[in-house]
Amino acid sequence: MLIGRLVTDEELRRRFVAEPRETIRLEQLRGLELTVAEVDALLASPVALWEPLAAALDLRLQKASLKHR
């Protein structure tokens, strides 16, 4: 679920790229269940991966951030 949100939610992706461990922690506090192996794998993934994946999706699947960059 988190991977899908990372490629479709610009604000979540921006937070994850800046602070991956804290973003995962906050998502877990909101009820997202991740195993230790899943958390480790997400943290081991290069943060540069997420923007190209998001860019490859049709814009209709994107949730754009309205916050200032």
Side-chain angles (χ1 to χ4, degrees), residues 4-37:
R5 289 191 50 220
L6 285 170
V7 296
T8 60
D9 185 329
E10 183 180 12
E11 183 60 31
L12 179 65
R13 186 171 53 255
R14 190 177 300 139
R15 280 187 289 138
F16 183 80
V17 167
E19 298 183 61
R21 191 172 303 277
E22 178 64 8
T23 302
I24 289 171
R25 187 187 73 77
L26 290 173
E27 290 302 308
Q28 289 176 311
L29 288 175
R30 291 184 180 110
L32 180 65
E33 295 182 22
L34 294 169
T35 66
V36 171

Side-chain angles (χ1 to χ4, degrees), residues 46-59:
V47 293
L49 166 78
W50 303 111
E51 283 301 324
L53 280 175
L57 289 179
D58 188 296
L59 290 177

